[in-house]
Amino acid sequence: MSRPAQALAAVVALGCLALLTGCSGEGAPVSFDGPSAPAPAPRADAKGKAVPKTVLPTGPKARFTTANTLPDGTSIGVTTLHGAKSGFTGKVWVWAPPQYFDPAYAGSGFPVLIALPGGNGYPKNYWMGTDLKLQSSISEWSKEGKSLPFIVVMPVLNPDGEHYYDGSDIPGQPRMGTWMTQDVPDFVRANFRTFASRDGWAFMGSSSGGFVGLKSVLKHPEAFKAVIASGPDTVPDSPLWAGHEKERRENDPERLARLLGAGPDSEDRRVYLAFQVGSRESGLANVKSFVDTYTKGPVRTRLQVIQDGGHNARTYVKGMGDGSIQWISEHMQAPVPRS
């Protein structure tokens, strides 16, 4: 048996033992504890590039229950996160790819994709369902070499179903910017093997979630490297900004892109913005204008126009498979198996 075949067999054999997935139904406890191994010393990958430091789970460990189970036996788990920095408490769903449980990767970090829904994204993040096939598609794309095997993290987008909070700390409102860019990553580091470098961190979002992902990467390029922004707004438009123009401007992707693009173009400042828009969407011209105006210096962009596509999640998953996921994967850090 070849090494890849042995590895796949090992993952299948671990199945219920390592994941407790496929062994129980919705609401049953699920663990994301993978095989344990010390993080290796810093080293170079096959291309000679330094591999970012692997950060082993720091704890405290969250308690997950099963939200959904995929056909391959992997599970989407859910937990409630009490954000220590934002003060906000909300649901977070998580999926880890089969490779995460492969002993060959026991000492390696994995890249993280924070996936955000459109609409209010409350009380659920619709990417946690299996109907859109986000996780199963990433699993297949990773086997085909089109995608990295991302850990997919799916927090609630807003604190209620009434307003958009623009993924921001709007004065007097729940601190959703801190929740999204600090509490959620801290939670992931507490429970999963990740990379210390921003090379292992990205966003993906639709519509309002695309705006939040885009804004978060542009505002925090030291922490996040890439985003797939699908059918996004490009300016903050929550009515809750009324009376807070200074803070609104501080969370405006157009202003943030202009400021970042005017600075030096160095590898540690580059961000990769993969835009997706369906050809039947009304927002296509606006996204094209953003790309034409702000692609400069460290701001790198790609636009995927999805033929006959509309403003919906299924269109955007198709666009990811047509090139967007591969483009950001090429600029991020892959897990490294032991030699």
Side-chain angles (χ1 to χ4, degrees):
M1 182 182 292
S2 67
R3 181 170 178 177
Q6 289 174 334
L8 179 58
V11 172
V12 174
L14 280 168
C16 295
L17 291 174
L19 285 154
L20 302 181
T21 58
C23 310
S24 53
E26 182 179 343
V30 59
S31 171
F32 290 99
D33 292 340
S36 178
R43 62 198 188 281
D45 62 16
K47 297 181 180 178
K49 181 181 178 182
V51 175
K53 177 183 176 183
T54 288
V55 179
L56 299 179
T58 61
K61 187 185 297 185
R63 294 184 178 181
F64 294 95
T65 56
T66 303
N68 279 303
T69 302
L70 275 65
D72 66 1
T74 56
S75 282
I76 298 170
V78 61
T79 191
T80 298
L81 171 62
H82 305 284
K85 296 177 179 175
S86 68
F88 174 71
T89 297
K91 297 285 188 183
V92 182
W93 292 262
V94 183
W95 173 80
Q99 293 91 330
Y100 189 83
F101 306 96
D102 184 339
Y105 293 95
S108 178
F110 273 70
V112 177
L113 189 67
I114 301 174
L116 305 178
N120 292 92
Y122 180 90
K124 288 188 176 182
N125 178 324
Y126 58 56
W127 294 115
M128 55 74 66
T130 57
D131 55 323
L132 298 173
K133 302 187 184 303
L134 174 64
Q135 295 82 4
S136 58
S137 294
I138 288 175
S139 186
E140 287 302 311
W141 294 332
S142 69
K143 295 174 187 175
E144 297 167 358
K146 295 168 62 175
S147 172
L148 297 182
F150 289 98
I151 297 169
V152 181
V153 182
M154 300 154 277
V156 294
L157 182 60
N158 290 300
D160 56 53
E162 298 180 12
H163 300 290
Y164 294 105
Y165 291 71
D166 285 348
S168 303
D169 291 356
I170 300 175
Q173 304 297 334
R175 300 175 64 201
M176 300 312 291
T178 299
W179 156 264
M180 198 66 69
T181 62
Q182 296 187 48
D183 286 333
V184 170
D186 285 349
F187 155 80
V188 180
R189 284 187 282 265
N191 289 278
F192 295 89
R193 302 189 307 276
T194 57
F195 290 116
S197 165
R198 73 190 192 107
D199 286 6
W201 293 85
F203 278 89
M204 182 277 286
S206 304
S207 193
S208 56
F211 167 87
V212 173
L214 173 65
K215 188 266 295 188
S216 297
V217 170
L218 288 168
K219 190 171 185 178
H220 300 285
E222 78 288 348
F224 307 100
K225 192 172 188 179
V227 61
I228 299 175
S230 303
D233 297 321
T234 58
V235 294
D237 60 0
S238 171
L240 300 172
W241 287 116
H244 306 290
E245 180 59 20
K246 175 179 177 291
E247 291 85 357
R248 189 195 71 83
R249 281 181 48 76
E250 290 171 352
N251 289 275
D252 185 339
E254 295 185 355
R255 175 179 176 272
L256 293 166
R258 183 173 65 253
L259 291 174
L260 183 60
D265 181 10
S266 57
E267 180 59 38
D268 63 342
R269 288 170 50 83
R270 288 176 190 159
V271 293
Y272 295 87
L273 316 178
F275 291 96
Q276 299 194 135
V277 187
S279 63
R280 293 188 284 107
E281 287 195 58
S282 60
L284 178 56
N286 180 62
V287 171
K288 284 184 174 179
S289 176
F290 187 100
V291 169
D292 292 342
T293 303
Y294 300 110
T295 302
K296 181 180 179 182
V299 179
R300 307 297 175 92
T301 64
R302 180 183 188 275
L303 174 58
Q304 179 85 39
V305 178
I306 307 159
Q307 292 304 310
D308 297 320
H311 190 72
N312 60 74
R314 285 184 173 80
T315 287
Y316 301 142
V317 172
K318 178 182 183 300
M320 290 173 69
D322 288 344
S324 297
I325 195 78
Q326 184 166 352
W327 188 70
I328 69 161
S329 293
E330 289 169 351
H331 298 290
M332 297 184 67
Q333 178 60 51
V336 181
R338 63 171 180 262
S339 54

